[in-house]
Amino acid sequence: MRQILFAGAIGLFLTLVGTPLLIKLLARKGYGQFIRDDGPRTHGSKKGTPTMGGIAFILATIIAYILAKVITGEPMSFSGALVLFLMAGMGLVGFLDDYIKIVKQRSLGLRAKAKMAGQLIVGIAFAVLSLQFADSRGNTPASTHLSFVEDFGWSIGPVLFCVWALFMILAMSNGVNLTDGLDGLATGASVMVFGAYTFIGLWQFQESCANAANLTNPSACFEVRDPLDLAVVASALMGACFGFLWWNTSPAKIFMGDTGSLALGGALAGLAILSRTEFLLAILGGLFVMITMSVVIQVGSFKMTGKRVFRMAPLQHHFELKGWSEVLVVVRFWIIQGMCVIVGLGLFYAGWAAKK
């Protein structure tokens, strides 16, 4: 429990103090946001705002995790290291994308093939490594079974697991990326989901099958390799994003950029895969799914009928064009995300209670 508290507090402190230093550095180098011409007209005032702010919470999360381990004297786990690797790797791909946008003034950044190649390399490495490093009970960080609140069904095998893991990583990374269109929207939504995973990891640790002999009902235990360490990583991410939100909320002093959005999406997918809550992530991160689906619906409708369903996609821009202020859209979407987290945690608890 101390690890979780230390990780969250350190992550919060580092981004609160470190983000303004990053803002000054990025502003001095002229690394400002490039605004696309086809976006809402009200976004023109955001041009030049420092971007690549994801660097702040990526570094803060890693440092917070390590310091929490040093302070408490607890060892690091392969599961925790894998989530941090996935976050940092996806963040690096996003950083290259942001850098090209700024330096070459090319609004789309990395070429699509290059960006996809980078995401595939990081995702495949994570998927392969997550099936290694079995503990004394034979559990690897990930499982080749699909999962909701725990594993179910038959094993899909390592090859299909890698394909599934890649799909989750790409879907969540791009989902957070699409959500990151308004000040603080993606950051605030991510804080809620990381908070949920902090709770889930702690609950799984208390009801772990590794401690089945001490449980009142061993049949209701969770078979997860390092649940407590996943909670530590989630807490570090929650604290780091919460501190970053101070500077990212409207009017934003800094944007996370693809550096941050791809990293956060990767971290969410990694936590879901290693905590055996893969399908549950679609509910916990319901806002990201909703916004992603708005783009799918818009593109599909236009290609098939030549008509648009929304005034603009992603969905948050549709409501902007309807006359909602940016702050109003963000707060109401946060409320939606909060309800998704409540429903997701309710389903998680119900799944555990049903086994008792």
Side-chain angles (χ1 to χ4, degrees):
M1 187 65 179
R2 288 195 308 147
Q3 300 177 64
I4 296 174
L5 294 175
F6 278 126
I10 294 171
L12 173 64
F13 173 78
L14 288 177
T15 47
L16 277 175
V17 175
T19 303
L21 300 178
L22 180 62
I23 292 173
K24 291 179 181 178
L25 175 63
L26 294 173
R28 189 181 307 125
K29 290 183 173 294
Y31 291 173
Q33 179 70 26
F34 188 95
I35 303 298
R36 295 175 60 178
D37 295 331
D38 57 353
R41 293 180 181 178
T42 56
H43 289 199
S45 61
K46 299 175 185 287
K47 185 175 182 179
T49 302
T51 188
M52 297 193 291
I55 295 172
F57 56 73
I58 291 173
L59 293 177
T61 298
I62 295 172
I63 294 171
Y65 173 79
I66 294 173
L67 287 181
K69 293 296 182 179
V70 171
I71 293 171
T72 60
E74 296 292 335
M76 300 181 190
S77 74
F78 288 113
S79 297
L82 280 171
V83 175
L84 294 178
F85 162 76
L86 181 58
M87 174 190 69
M90 296 298 288
L92 177 59
V93 176
F95 172 81
L96 294 175
D97 191 40
D98 286 333
Y99 186 79
I100 290 174
K101 288 178 185 176
I102 295 167
V103 174
K104 294 189 176 182
Q105 291 292 294
R106 194 169 74 202
S107 63
L108 296 179
L110 277 173
R111 300 296 183 189
K113 290 183 179 179
K115 189 173 183 179
M116 179 61 71
Q119 292 177 304
L120 289 176
I121 291 171
V122 174
I124 290 172
F126 169 83
V128 171
L129 290 173
S130 67
L131 294 179
Q132 314 302 317
F133 311 113
D135 62 11
S136 58
R137 303 181 68 250
N139 288 325
T140 53
S143 166
T144 56
H145 292 76
L146 298 177
S147 60
F148 185 63
V149 297
E150 62 176 349
D151 287 344
F152 65 83
W154 294 280
S155 167
I156 60 175
V159 175
L160 285 180
F161 165 76
C162 288
V163 174
W164 170 241
L166 277 174
F167 170 77
M168 285 194 63
I169 293 166
L170 293 174
M172 284 310 302
S173 294
N174 289 290
V176 178
N177 184 254
L178 290 171
T179 304
D180 183 36
L182 301 181
D183 295 354
L185 178 57
T187 309
S190 297
V191 167
M192 298 181 206
V193 187
F194 289 131
Y197 271 110
T198 302
F199 172 83
I200 287 172
L202 183 59
W203 191 271
Q204 288 178 331
F205 172 71
Q206 293 175 338
E207 301 293 330
S208 173
C209 292
N211 303 318
N214 301 321
L215 300 178
T216 56
N217 188 356
S219 64
C221 66
F222 291 101
E223 197 68 85
V224 178
R225 189 191 190 284
D226 304 298
L228 183 60
D229 222 41
L230 293 177
V232 175
V233 172
S235 178
L237 278 159
M238 177 179 63
C241 288
F242 206 10
F244 182 75
L245 184 60
W246 181 273
W247 306 102
N248 182 232
T249 194
S250 183
K253 300 296 187 296
I254 187 170
F255 300 135
M256 69 169 70
D258 283 11
T259 305
S261 61
L262 295 188
L264 291 182
L268 288 170
L271 287 169
I273 292 168
L274 301 193
S275 65
R276 314 292 204 269
T277 56
E278 295 160 356
F279 284 108
L280 185 63
L281 178 60
I283 299 173
L284 290 171
L287 180 65
F288 303 125
V289 175
M290 182 179 72
I291 287 176
T292 301
M293 289 307 299
S294 73
V295 175
V296 174
I297 292 170
Q298 184 84 325
V299 173
S301 175
F302 187 75
K303 286 186 176 181
M304 289 187 293
T305 68
K307 297 181 180 180
R308 293 179 172 86
V309 176
F310 307 106
R311 295 187 180 186
M312 182 178 289
L315 188 61
Q316 61 268 32
H317 300 320
H318 166 78
F319 289 102
E320 278 192 290
L321 294 183
K322 287 191 66 175
W324 291 19
S325 69
E326 180 173 359
V327 173
L328 181 62
V329 175
V330 170
V331 172
R332 286 182 174 174
F333 275 38
W334 280 350
I335 293 172
I336 293 172
Q337 177 55 50
M339 291 189 291
C340 290
V341 166
I342 291 171
V343 172
L345 288 177
L347 290 172
F348 174 79
Y349 179 80
W352 172 78
K355 298 194 299 179
K356 299 187 69 175

